[in-house]
Structures are given as C-alpha cells and as structure tokens.
Amino acid sequence: MYRGPLSGLAKESSQGSLESFSPMKKTRPAFQLLEFNGPPTYLLQSAPAPRHGLPTSQPFRVFWSLDLSLNFMASRLRLYQLTLLSVVASLFEQAASQSESVFLSRPELQAPVLKVDVNDVAKVTQGYLFATPFRNHQPGPYVYDQSRNLIWSGFGVAGPANAHDFSVCDYKGSTGDHMSYLIVNQENGFGQGLGVIMDSHFRIVDTVKSSLGRGPADMHEFNVLPGGESAILIIYQPVQYDLSSYGIASTFGWVTAGIFQEIDIESGKVIFEWKSTNHVDPSESRVKPGTTDISGDGKSKATPYDYFHINSVDKSAEGEYLVSARHTSTIYKISPVDGSVIWRLGGLNSTLSLTGFNFSSQHDARFISETSSSTTLSFFDNGSNGYTITATGSTAFIIKVDNTTDTATVVSAYGSSLSTTSQGSTQVLPTGNTLVGYGSKPTVNEFTADGTLVYSASFSNTKFESYRWQKFNFTFQPTDQPALFSYAKTATSNTAFFASWNGDAATKSWTVWTGATNDPPSFTALATIDRAGFETLYTSTNGFAAYAFVEAKNADGKTLANSSTVMPFVPGPGLVDSCGDTQCVVT
C-alpha cells in the first residue's frame, strides 16, 4: 500500500431527443423512436430506489406504428406521460432523504451524499478521500474531494459486489500512480473475492488472487507493497480442529484459520504464507464460540469458530509482518523467517507492557517506522465489539514499542465520542496529520498532531458504511467522455445544460457549444462557466439550442475532452405544466 507523500469531439446522435424518421421497406408499418435520457430531475438527493421499481438508469422508449389509429396513438402517448410523471414523483419523494445524489447527465449513478461539518482549509491535508461505501444502493469504490463533491463512482467497474480497502499504490516499479481495492462477495464477518489494480485511467491492469489451494481472498486487506511487485491478501479458511475443550467431542470441531499470503503479482506465486492455527491457540481468544454475531459455534464447517479474526497485515522495510486480530484483541509482530511470533501487543498473553493505555477489537495496524531498538505503529482501537466494551469511544493510536524494555507507550491518541463496533482505519498523513475512519459509523475525521480536529465528514445516511477511509493526492486521467444533458421547457424556451465527467478532477470550466444544425455541424461557443461540483448547471439566455456539446477545460484553459452532441429534452403537453425553466418536478 502506498505510504509516501501526497502527489499532486466525438459527435453522435442525440440522447434525449427525437431521432430521425426512417420508413421501413415494403408494407411493414413504419416506426419512429422517442428516446429520453433519464428522468427530468436535477441533482436530486435521493434514497435508494426500491429494487422492484423502475430503474432510473433506463431510458424510456415509446414506439408506435404510423398506420395505427389516432385514438391508439393518443392513448399510448398519455400512458407514456403518466409513466414519466409517476417516475419523477417517485424520485422527488426519495430525494427528501438526501442520502444519494442523482445526476441528470449521468442518471445511472446514485452516489452517497457526503456532508462536511468541519473543514479548516489552512490546516487540513490536501487530497482526495477514497472510500468504499456499502449498504447503499450502489456499493463500490468512490472518490470525493474535500468539499464533499463526487469525483468518481466506481460502481460496477469490477463486477456486482462490494469493494473494500481502496487505496493508491505502486505497480511494477512505478510509484503512487495506480489504485487498488478488493472486490468481494460479503459474508457474515468476512468476504470472498480478489484484489484489483487500476491505472490512472480507471482501467483494470491486474488482479491478485490467493493461492496454494486456499479459499478466495477476504475483504479485510489488499496491501500492495512498496515497489508494486508483491501484495498481501488475507484468507478466512475453515479447518478441522480439536474443540473438545469447548464441549465439541463427538466429531470434528471447526475453526476459521486466519491466513495471510504475500503474493508475487507477476507470477501469482506465494512468497510467504502465515496461518494463525500454527502459531496462536484458540485459548488466546477473547471471544468464545457462539457468543457474538460473527464468532461461529465451531460445530460445522458452515459455522466455524472464528477465534482469531485477522483484519490487517503490514510489512516493514526490514521484512517483518504486523498482524491485527480482532478476536484476540492482539497485534502480532511476525518473523519472516519461520512465522514465529516476535512479540504480542495487547490481549490475554501480551509480551509487552502497555503503559497508560489499553485497547480491544482493533483494526488497521500499520508500521510507521522501525529501528533496531524501537517500533512505531498506528492502529484503530474500536474499544468494543458490541458485546464486550473497554472504552466509551473509539480511538486512533500511535504507539512506540521499546524493544529493549518490552514496553509500549502512547505517542499520540485521537479520541472521539464516536464508538464503532466494527471496522475502522488510521492513516498517518505526510503533513503529520492523522486521518481516522470510523467504519460502521459513516464518519471520517482528520486531526493535527496536537489533536485538533480540522476536518470531519459523514455520509448523510447513517446506515452507510465504509470499512476504511484514506486520503491521497492523485492525477486522474479518465478515458470516458464528459456527459451532457440539455433541457428546454418548450421549443422556443431558453435551454439548460447539465455537464459532468465521472473520474475527472482537472476540469475547472465548461464551454457550452450550440448550433442550429448538426449535419453539417455548425456550432458557436455560447458561454464558458466555472465547474460547480460533479454536475454543473448552466441556463442560457439566448433561446432554444437545437444541438449542443460541452468542452472541458483545465485551469490553464487547455481543452481536455468534449462530450457527445445532444438534443434537448422538451416535455410534451401532458408534462409541461409540471416543468420549470431547468427541470420537471411534480409538486
């Protein structure tokens, strides 16, 4: 995982308009297609749509035969108008919850709304927020800027599953110019999937899978190591185990072995593997069989006893590994020679003395620095798993371990009144600030070294979660085109334009080009406007625009890309009375 400093016109037929009429051959009836690009709404903040409802991403098509009766044509048109009104009303009702954004130019996207409560611009570390929300309508990897604006929705990019551990990474010798995340089918307390690596164009360039006959990669860790030649994955592997001491004596007992593998990305071969059952006895666990929602009872392979619950693995420059296990409430330093435990921090069998602090059910243990005499690390102390509580709030710790005295002391602690019983992350930033994600609580905070809160943001919907939050500066280079939706209340009204570009952070202004004809093309620049969030609205005062496209420009005024050419959505007589100058909304 990258831990270094933060780094800094095709034209086509309109979507959203009446297409050209082409009579069919011989005696077959002629048809024409009315295709409208999504529901006529603008930047509605909406709750997840009902799964049985009409998807907002699908255009509405109405066909009719020219040789049908006028009465049938009229009834079909009325049916279309009523359907459209119903969909708009449904979206408007959902918008009241303000939990997901819907964009006219990209109606298939429903991104979680991020609200910012604290943003001390002078002290906050500059960069983009990387998150993997789930329990929302469109789970996946997402990027936001610090002002809460969506930069990129990665929903569906690698398949229909949840994403976790979204980060910037090295790749095969390159430094900090790729991104990585896990794509997993999420189970009860673990996942099954693989690691994905993307370049700056959002193209998947590699995948990393577990090996040696183990199960698929888990959801907790995909750590592409510095240099980008190898990566660490976690596996939750059910194995037979003697659990007679727990009252299971008539047959096999089953436990979940916490396994991690360091894998060569190019060849897929395992460089190093470690298995908890070879080094940590279940008696170290602070969670007994059948006592929590994810512990398992150990009586079958379907319900193995998850005594360890491995949730993060890091590797030092010296080659040693750092393993966090939630159910033993212990952080382990592991030898790369034979897998033996060098020391235990916390838990029932700690080999280190903890000075002035304790922790439990922790996540995201990371090496910060290491010398022959000391190890500095960070981790997120949940302080509770929902059953056993050791703290009233969750805390991000930076701890120094003295290898000569076997003592651990607090360097920094960033506490909160928030108590999260699962997930969480701590990222020490190059500025010395620390970014803290609260996992099952939809919040991310940033603190200065002295503990001052300088940034706080949350998903508007408190049910949304992101296993980790991270911050990086990055140069995104999307290969997709910008998108444009245009609208006019009547064929003589002023036209409104909605422009966006998924994955782009470089656009600072949009130039709107309009024309009366597209064949041959005849366009003039109507206006240049500043970018305003993910989707920018501009309303013309120059009347109706029959055709339009937008040109994305960077801070220097250089052209980055153009959208396709579109024709405006013009509501019909049954809808127009519910429409305004920039959109149609049913009140």
Side-chain angles (χ1 to χ4, degrees), residues 62 70-85 574:
V62 179
L70 291 176
N71 288 337
F72 180 72
M73 291 174 61
S75 67
R76 293 291 290 173
L77 182 57
R78 285 194 297 271
L79 176 62
Y80 163 75
Q81 291 166 346
L82 289 173
T83 301
L84 186 58
L85 286 167

Side-chain angles (χ1 to χ4, degrees), residues 431-458:
T431 58
N433 290 1
T434 297
L435 190 76
V436 183
Y438 292 86
S440 59
K441 298 292 176 67
T443 299
V444 57
N445 288 339
E446 184 175 330
F447 299 90
T448 59
D450 65 5
T452 302
L453 179 67
V454 294
Y455 187 83
S456 183
S458 302

